[in-house]
Structure formats: C-alpha cells, structure tokens
Amino acid sequence: MMSTSPTSTSPSWAFALRDLRNAGGVVDIARAHAFAATNGAERVHPDSEGQGTFQVELEVRTPLSEAEWAQNGLVLVEAVAVDASGNQVSISKLAFTGTDVNERALGLSPQPERLVLNSLLASEQIRPVVNFEFRGPTPLVGGGTGVRYVSSHPNLVGVTSSGVVYAVAATGSESVHITVSYPNAGGLSGEPAEWSVNVPVVVDPTLEVTALRIDELTPEGALLIPRLNSSQRLPRVFATFNNGSESEIVSQYPLAWSVLPLAEGSLEVIGGRVVAFRPLDGSAPGLSVAIAHLGRSADVPVQAVDALPEVSLRLPANAAPESRLELRPEITDDVGITSVRFFLMTSPSASEPSLPTSLAWTSARNSPVRLSSSTSRPRTRRVRWLYPRR
C-alpha cells in the first residue's frame, strides 16, 4: 500500500556565497539576502509507490547571471520526511546551484604585510586573505586551505605548513621573506596559475616596543562605528619599535581591549569585536588597548552613529490594470521603527505605527504611479518606485 503521508519541508532559501561571507558564515543572517525562497513551509505528497525524489519550487526574487548560477549560488534545504506510520526523519543540507565551484582567485593579501620578531622565542601567524570572484575577500587561515608557505632562509626564519612563522636566528643584514602562494584554479587565459606574495621578516632581539598605533581611524583620529547595536571588528594595531620601524600585531603580543569610564554603558568589547549602544561624537577616548607585560597602551576616541533606517518594497514585476496589490515594505534599523508612512505620488496614503505592516492598493487602468514609503524614528528615510514597472 502506497504511503499518502507527505514529505514536508520547512522554509528553504537560496543565497549567494558572497552574502554568506558578508554574514560571517552565519546562515541565519545570510537568509535575509536570499535571492530565492519558498513562501513558508511546503508539503509534497508521493505520486507513486517507492518514490524517492521530490521537487519543490523556490520563487526567484533577484535574478543571477549564468556565471553566478554556476559558481555563486547556495541552496539551504530543511526537510522532514514522514512515512505512513508517522515516523519522521529531518534533513538539513546546503548545496550549490551549479557544478563549477572553482571560482577565480583575483588576488592574495597576506596579513600582516611585514613581520618583526624581537625575540628568538617569538612566532607569528600569517593570515592570508584571498579575493575570490564571487565570495570576495575571504580569510584562509591555518592548514588545509590550499595556501603554501616557503621561507627564503630556513636557517634564519622557519614557517609551518599552517603559516606560523618562527625565529631561528637573527636576520642581521639578510633580506628574508616568506613566500605565500595560492593556486588560481579557475583563472582565465593570461592570468597567473597561482598568486604569490612575499612577506618580509626581520628577527632582531635588540628591538623594543616603544608605542602602539591604532589603524583604520577617521581623519579626525576616531574609530567610526556606523551603526548602533551591531558589532564590528576591532581596528588593527601596530607596534612601533625603538628604531622607528612598525609591525602589525596579530598574535605575537596579547592585546587587551577595554572600555574607558567615559564610555561605559555606551560601548562593549566582545571577542575581538566592538558594539555601540548609544551615539558618541568622537571627542573623547572611548576604548583602550594595551600590552600589559610591556607596559604599552593607547587610547582611541569613538564616533558611534545612529544610522538611518533601510527601506525597500517587494513588488511583482508586472500587474494587470485595476488589480489589487498588497505592498509590504522590508524595513530594518539599528535602534527601532516608530512608524511607517505610505505615499501615492506625493500624497500621504496611510500611516502605520508598528511592524510588520502592509498597504492594500488597487492600480488604475493605464496609470503608472509613483509609490514611496518612509519611516520615522524620528530620523527618516524615503524610497520611491515607479509602478507598474516598464
């Protein structure tokens, strides 16, 4: 007897590899940028005895190029298979939309760009960042990533297969470097078969750290946090040595970040990232970084901005005259939304005090109109669309 129980899938999404990278590898965040998705859970029933393949269609919201379909698409499927007795098996799978996953590597940027080891016991991890065609800049740290490391002078400076550089002897007047390489498997004709970058290395036990310099600041010397309640990576820190040279601090010294008293309650440092809860004008130091055992520290002012809301309207590509449409704005903000207003042409049409919200609208025959939606917090942002689209 054939089972009539369905195979039920939870909502499924398709999104780009670059969106997964931008989300720090967190699938739940990448879902918000999905180019295709099911409209809620779908139920599929078998059509024949022993059926093993089931098909579910996803509505494509944003078109992708042929190359992106082949190399840049991921589909997340979460399904529950149910038999006639009610037994269930859950499935969660992430799959590519195409078969060609050898996207081009457009460049290689090792971090730090220069290494200074001031002790024969010192070591440092090189952190290669490969700029892929679709994923964009992607860190490939450690072993098993396809990155190769070779020392120009193994008798002075060694390097492990995972990119850890260690001192063997003082480099003196020798010009020593580590060659970092990554294959360009999907490269076009005329492009290098692999990308290679040399990282200079100096081993000088006489060097001492005299100061710390914080990078990636505004021209006014402040750390800019462009959104509230959203964490961002802490800035890079450089060690200044007694001979005037500098080297980025990645792992050779333990950096301790802290929030200064004037910014307590407005900032928080969590695992190498910082988040702001209130606006700050950058006029006073908010963060401090220190190398405790060397007695070196630096303070940095913080400018935290209450960002404008982000607003978009999801509309079908076409609509028949006199058809009824439901307009649903997608709104995000770093603090919260107090109200949403809809406009037809330039006249207010509706105002909603809360989210989620929508507006039902009937289009007139042969009459394109300009639709817009704005939010208030009280800061506002308005976006406009001409509809029906041409």
Side-chain angles (χ1 to χ4, degrees), residues 234-251:
L234 286 164
R236 298 190 299 168
V237 179
F238 287 76
T240 302
F241 297 97
N242 53 347
N243 67 348
S245 65
E246 286 190 337
S247 177
E248 182 182 355
I249 300 173
V250 177
S251 60

Side-chain angles (χ1 to χ4, degrees), residues 76-114:
L76 173 63
V77 178
E78 295 179 343
V80 179
V82 186
D83 66 14
S85 301
N87 300 313
Q88 299 184 8
V89 175
S90 297
I91 303 169
S92 181
K93 183 175 182 180
L94 200 61
F96 289 98
T97 57
T99 57
D100 184 5
V101 296
N102 289 324
E103 61 177 321
R104 294 163 59 203
L106 305 180
L108 171 65
S109 302
Q111 298 175 355
E113 298 176 353
R114 179 176 181 267

Side-chain angles (χ1 to χ4, degrees), residues 105-157:
L106 305 180
L108 171 65
S109 302
Q111 298 175 355
E113 298 176 353
R114 179 176 181 267
L115 277 173
V116 176
L117 305 178
N118 65 344
S119 167
L120 295 181
L121 300 177
S123 63
E124 174 66 89
Q125 172 74 62
I126 294 180
R127 301 175 182 272
V129 177
V130 177
N131 184 19
F132 288 104
E133 182 178 8
F134 297 117
R135 282 176 283 175
T138 304
L140 299 179
V141 182
T145 63
V147 180
R148 294 190 303 111
Y149 306 89
V150 177
S151 173
S152 63
H153 295 69
N155 60 315
L156 301 177
V157 174

Side-chain angles (χ1 to χ4, degrees), residues 309-310 331-333 335-340 353-355 375-377:
E310 296 182 359
I331 303 168
T332 59
D333 186 70
V335 177
I337 301 298
T338 57
S339 67
V340 181
S354 61
L355 295 175
T375 63
S376 62
R377 199 171 32 82

Side-chain angles (χ1 to χ4, degrees), residues 308-322:
L308 289 170
E310 296 182 359
V311 187
S312 63
L313 277 179
R314 182 169 296 172
L315 300 170
N318 298 285
E322 300 181 1

Side-chain angles (χ1 to χ4, degrees), residues 208-285:
E208 296 181 3
V209 177
T210 58
L212 302 181
R213 181 178 66 83
I214 300 175
D215 198 28
E216 303 170 301
L217 304 181
T218 66
E220 293 75 25
L223 172 64
L224 177 62
I225 300 179
R227 297 182 66 85
L228 302 181
N229 300 306
S230 179
S231 69
Q232 71 177 46
R233 178 181 55 83
L234 286 164
R236 298 190 299 168
V237 179
F238 287 76
T240 302
F241 297 97
N242 53 347
N243 67 348
S245 65
E246 286 190 337
S247 177
E248 182 182 355
I249 300 173
V250 177
S251 60
Q252 68 270 47
Y253 300 112
L255 292 175
W257 287 89
S258 60
V259 177
L260 294 173
L262 287 177
E264 288 184 355
S266 298
L267 298 174
E268 185 176 2
V269 175
I270 307 173
R273 303 182 71 82
V274 60
V275 58
F277 304 108
R278 299 185 183 90
L280 297 170
D281 61 10
S283 61

